């Protein structure tokens, strides 16, 4: 690799990397708050900072809210592509670029695929810049312990970014430094998926070793912890079918004392449920009457009910599918918390806040997990939910990963442990009603496997895991066929195409995925 970049070249490199026509950046304003993600190199310092490198670390946090990271392409690629969600809105809204994410195939010239590529590599660059500053900036004085902790924080974000990239695109270039010549990054070829996963594991293991178990919840709500690193590492291991490693690190999270299933399912996704005992990793957002969008994320706006007047809450994208609506066990309360139904002339649809939905909305179903509190809308003076956090990793997900890994390892003790973990999630879901969601009692590994997979689908519905789950389970073709997505071809569509714009930029160094 080329020699490390000097400080004067950093801005030039970032500008090159982040240039794309569909890119939308969040504005940044200084507020008298220590919420992480609200600051970057341009507006540091802030009151009550905890570390000398936070000016760079917070720039990476801020990029987690970027439109190209956790908004448009993210919703399309992780949810709308699955059997649990449809594009929603009106038939033509979004054009062919979005419709292809729902109906397949996604084309190499997809603006959303290119935006995801640019967004996550932009985030990686923020992390590499921070690591560069820690390693070379002699004007910042810090102890070795602070340096290790600071490195750990951004290595988590970098590892997570590569995990997203390799699940989306397969083989991707590993960029782990800055370059003296910004164009030199175009000469880095794709690494194998195994090599990318090995890199991710190193980053997340480092993060788990040097991050604290918790932060000051008032100053730094949602800041990344060792539990988040181990929880993400569990998913990385699970994706590779490294069952023993996945079970071990998930168990570390479960025994950390930092998380539990005490938060009611009905509360988790509300404004009040943010950063609860259920939260392992959330993208942070906020808004008030003065700053309605500048410290927030547009994630909720794209999924809000698409209506008129007070029901003009968003674009109406990412609509729960009929198949998901039919997948719940009788009287499972998670169904009503997940799916918001449009009223019909004979059946009213009612939100969790008691609002009756209009008749004649464009879609029969909307994502209730992002429905905002009308009192918050009134207080902020905005209907579009920019203040809502994005749940990336929840504790129930970790518990179900533990259950899956234990069951796959097999043996009487592991089967018992898997059932106990699975049933703890079902216990919370039944909310005291013992007539529903009975415990799973089977000792048959195959039957228990199906039960765990079904529980993941229901518990984590509309939370961006379903597509990746059916791919790693090897059942994507059958599931998509059953959902009526006849254009889906697992030999091609389990991965997005490598964006043609990136192939062209590299002069053919990047190679296209099979089938495109």
């Amino acid at each position: 690799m080329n020699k490390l970049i000097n400080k004067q070249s950093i801005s030039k490199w970032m500008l090159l990397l982040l240039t794309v026509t569909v890119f939308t950046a969040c504005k940044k304003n200084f507020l008298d708050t220590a919420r992480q993600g609200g600051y970057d190199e341009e507006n540091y310092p802030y009151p009550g900072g905890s570390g000398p490198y936070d000016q760079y670390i917070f720039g990476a946090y801020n990029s987690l809210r970027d439109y190209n990271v956790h908004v448009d392409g993210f919703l399309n690629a992780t949810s709308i592509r699955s059997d649990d969600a449809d594009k929603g809105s009106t038939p033509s809204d979004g054009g062919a670029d979005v419709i292809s994410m729902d109906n397949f195939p996604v084309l190499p010239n997809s603006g959303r695929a290119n935006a995801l590529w640019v967004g996550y590599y932009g985030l990686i660059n923020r992390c590499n810049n921070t690591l560069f500053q820690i390693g070379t900036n002699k004007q910042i004085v810090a102890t070795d312990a602070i340096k290790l902790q600071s490195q750990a924080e951004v290595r988590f974000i970098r590892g997570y970014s590569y995990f997203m990239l390799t699940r989306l695109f397969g083989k991707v270039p590993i960029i782990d430094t800055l370059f003296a010549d910004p164009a030199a990054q175009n000469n880095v070829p794709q690494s194998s998926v195994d090599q990318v996963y090995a890199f991710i594991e190193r980053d997340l293991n480092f993060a788990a070793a040097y991050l604290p178990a918790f932060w000051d919840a008032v100053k730094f709500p949602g800041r990344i912890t060792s539990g988040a690193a181990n929880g993400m590492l569990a998913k990385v291991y699970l994706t590779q079918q490294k069952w023993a490693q996945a079970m071990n690190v998930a168990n570390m999270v479960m025994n950390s004392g930092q998380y539990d299933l005490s938060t009611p399912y009905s509360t988790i996704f509300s404004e009040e449920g943010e950063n609860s005992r259920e939260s392992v990793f959330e993208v942070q957002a906020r808004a008030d009457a003065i700053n309605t969008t500048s410290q927030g994320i547009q994630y909720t706006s794209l999924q809000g009910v698409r209506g008129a007047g007070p029901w003009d809450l968003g674009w109406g994208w990412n609509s729960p599918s009929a198949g998901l609506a039919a997948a719940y066990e009788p009287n499972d309360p998670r169904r009503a918390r997940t799916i918001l139904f449009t009223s019909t002339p004979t059946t009213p649809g009612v939100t969790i806040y008691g609002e009756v939905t209009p008749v004649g909305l464009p879609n029969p179903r909307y994502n209730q997990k992002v429905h905002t509190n009308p009192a918050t809308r009134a207080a902020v003076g905005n209907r579009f939910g920019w203040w809502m956090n994005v749940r990336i990793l929840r504790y129930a997900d970790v518990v179900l990963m533990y259950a899956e890994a234990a069951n796959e390892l097999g043996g009487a003790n592991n089967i018992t442990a898997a059932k106990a973990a699975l049933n703890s999630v079902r216990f919370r879901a039944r909310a005291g009603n013992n007539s529903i969601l009975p415990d799973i009692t089977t000792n048959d590994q195959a039957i228990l496997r199906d039960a765990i997979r079904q529980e993941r689908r229901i518990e984590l519905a509309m939370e961006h895991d379903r597509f990746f789950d059916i791919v790693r389970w090897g059942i994507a073709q059958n599931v998509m066929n059953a959902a009526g997505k006849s254009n889906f071809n697992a030999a091609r569509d389990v991965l997005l195409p490598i964006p043609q714009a990136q192939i062209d930029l590299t002069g053919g160094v990047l190679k296209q995925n099979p089938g495109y």
Side-chain angles (χ1 to χ4, degrees):
M1 285 188 172
N2 286 2
K3 192 175 180 181
L4 283 176
I5 188 171
N6 60 36
K7 295 177 186 178
Q8 289 76 21
S9 300
I10 291 173
S11 60
K12 180 181 177 184
W13 154 244
M14 291 177 65
L15 179 62
L16 175 68
L17 184 64
L18 294 176
T19 299
V20 64
T21 57
V22 297
F23 180 80
T24 302
C26 297
K27 298 178 181 178
K28 309 174 185 72
N29 291 325
F30 180 86
L31 296 176
D32 186 16
T33 174
R35 181 179 289 274
Q36 108 294 356
Y39 308 93
D40 65 12
E41 294 93 326
E42 298 172 4
N43 55 25
Y44 185 83
Y46 63 93
S50 68
Y53 299 107
D54 278 355
Q55 58 178 309
Y56 304 106
I57 295 170
F58 281 27
Y61 275 109
N62 194 58
S63 290
L64 288 168
R65 300 199 314 264
D66 281 353
Y67 190 83
N68 288 349
V69 175
H70 282 128
V71 184
D72 189 338
F74 177 75
L75 286 172
N76 277 277
T78 65
S79 193
I80 292 172
R81 278 200 302 163
S82 81
D83 60 320
D84 277 357
D86 300 315
K87 179 184 72 68
S89 185
T90 59
S92 62
D93 187 32
D97 197 57
V98 174
I99 294 169
S100 70
M101 288 280 188
D102 197 5
N103 295 333
F104 301 95
V106 179
L107 299 179
N109 65 354
S110 166
R112 266 74 188 183
N114 192 46
L116 285 165
W117 184 281
V118 170
Y120 281 106
Y121 273 110
L123 183 54
I124 287 164
N125 184 66
R126 289 273 196 179
C127 297
N128 288 338
N129 178 38
T130 304
L131 294 170
F132 173 78
Q133 296 295 334
I134 294 169
T136 64
N137 192 329
K138 303 304 182 183
Q139 295 179 332
I140 299 177
V141 178
T143 65
D144 288 343
I146 289 295
K147 288 182 178 181
L148 289 169
Q149 180 176 288
S150 299
Q151 290 170 0
E153 205 163 359
V154 291
R155 286 186 69 173
F156 170 90
I157 297 174
R158 187 175 69 176
Y160 165 70
S161 298
Y162 273 112
F163 187 36
M164 285 299 301
L165 281 168
T166 197
R167 288 188 295 173
L168 291 169
F169 296 104
K171 298 177 181 179
V172 296
I174 296 175
I175 309 293
D176 61 355
T177 188
L178 302 176
F179 290 88
D181 177 4
Q185 56 97 16
N186 296 332
N187 297 321
V188 179
Q190 291 144 294
S191 293
S192 70
V193 171
D194 286 345
Q195 289 171 325
V196 178
Y197 272 117
F199 182 82
I200 295 166
E201 289 175 15
R202 288 194 294 272
D203 267 357
L204 294 180
N205 272 303
F206 185 93
Y210 292 106
L211 282 171
F214 61 90
W215 294 82
D216 185 313
V218 176
K219 286 185 176 181
F220 303 111
R223 198 162 181 175
I224 295 164
T225 63
S226 57
N230 279 321
M232 194 62 65
L233 191 56
K235 190 164 289 189
V236 169
Y237 286 141
L238 206 72
T239 302
Q240 300 173 86
Q241 299 186 356
K242 295 182 177 180
W243 308 120
Q245 295 97 316
M247 184 178 176
N248 178 57
V249 292
N251 190 52
M252 291 172 67
V253 178
M254 294 164 67
N255 288 328
S256 68
Q258 300 301 313
Y259 314 97
D260 57 43
L261 295 169
S262 62
T263 307
Y265 196 84
S266 59
T267 302
I268 293 169
F269 312 101
S270 67
E271 289 92 334
E272 293 75 21
E274 294 179 344
N275 302 317
S276 68
R277 296 280 292 183
E278 178 76 16
S279 173
V280 181
F281 175 40
E282 295 183 20
V283 176
Q284 303 295 304
R286 70 177 300 276
D288 55 36
I290 298 173
N291 302 280
T292 59
T293 63
S294 60
Q295 293 284 310
I297 183 170
Q298 202 175 348
Y299 170 86
T300 293
S301 177
L302 268 67
Q303 303 174 77
V305 174
R306 186 186 181 100
W311 287 99
D312 177 16
L313 301 177
W315 298 10
W317 287 12
N318 198 33
S319 170
S321 67
L324 175 62
Y328 290 81
E329 294 173 60
N331 302 313
D332 187 335
R334 292 175 293 187
R335 184 176 188 264
R337 188 61 184 88
T338 302
I339 303 175
L340 174 57
F341 292 90
T342 297
S343 293
T344 69
T346 57
T347 305
V350 182
T351 77
I352 56 170
Y353 300 107
E355 307 153 285
V356 178
T357 61
V359 175
L361 291 172
N363 305 123
R365 294 168 298 275
Y366 293 90
N367 184 0
Q368 178 92 286
K369 286 182 175 178
V370 299
H371 188 67
T372 54
N373 190 325
T376 307
R377 286 178 235 145
V380 175
N382 182 284
R383 296 189 304 276
F384 302 114
W386 286 66
W387 55 87
M388 295 284 279
N389 286 3
V390 183
R391 278 70 169 173
I392 301 297
L393 182 61
R394 293 198 287 116
Y395 181 61
D397 188 356
V398 176
V399 173
L400 290 173
M401 287 192 285
Y402 174 88
E404 181 178 344
N407 184 61
E408 294 300 333
L409 282 173
N413 290 339
N414 285 332
I415 295 291
T416 298
K419 285 191 297 182
L422 169 63
N423 287 326
S424 71
V425 174
R426 291 173 66 81
F427 177 85
R428 193 262 300 275
R430 70 175 70 107
N433 183 355
N434 292 327
S435 67
I436 62 172
L437 303 175
D439 280 356
I440 304 298
T441 60
T442 184
N443 289 317
D444 184 287
Q445 185 184 38
I447 296 174
L448 185 56
R449 176 184 296 121
D450 289 341
I452 292 168
R453 290 180 177 183
Q454 172 67 7
E455 198 68 25
R456 283 191 64 82
R457 182 183 191 185
I458 297 304
E459 173 71 22
L460 304 173
M462 307 301 292
E463 295 181 53
H464 315 294
D465 276 293
R466 177 64 174 173
F467 187 83
F468 294 137
D469 278 350
I470 62 175
V471 168
R472 67 183 180 83
W473 291 332
I475 62 173
Q477 189 67 63
N478 290 339
V479 167
M480 292 302 212
N481 287 347
K485 298 199 177 191
S486 58
N487 289 335
F488 182 85
N489 179 354
R492 174 193 63 207
D493 295 320
V494 296
L495 296 175
L496 293 173
I498 304 297
Q500 188 62 46
Q502 302 302 321
I503 294 174
D504 294 344
L505 186 65
T506 66
V509 171
L510 297 182
K511 306 302 180 184
Q512 187 55 270
N513 283 327
Y516 290 104

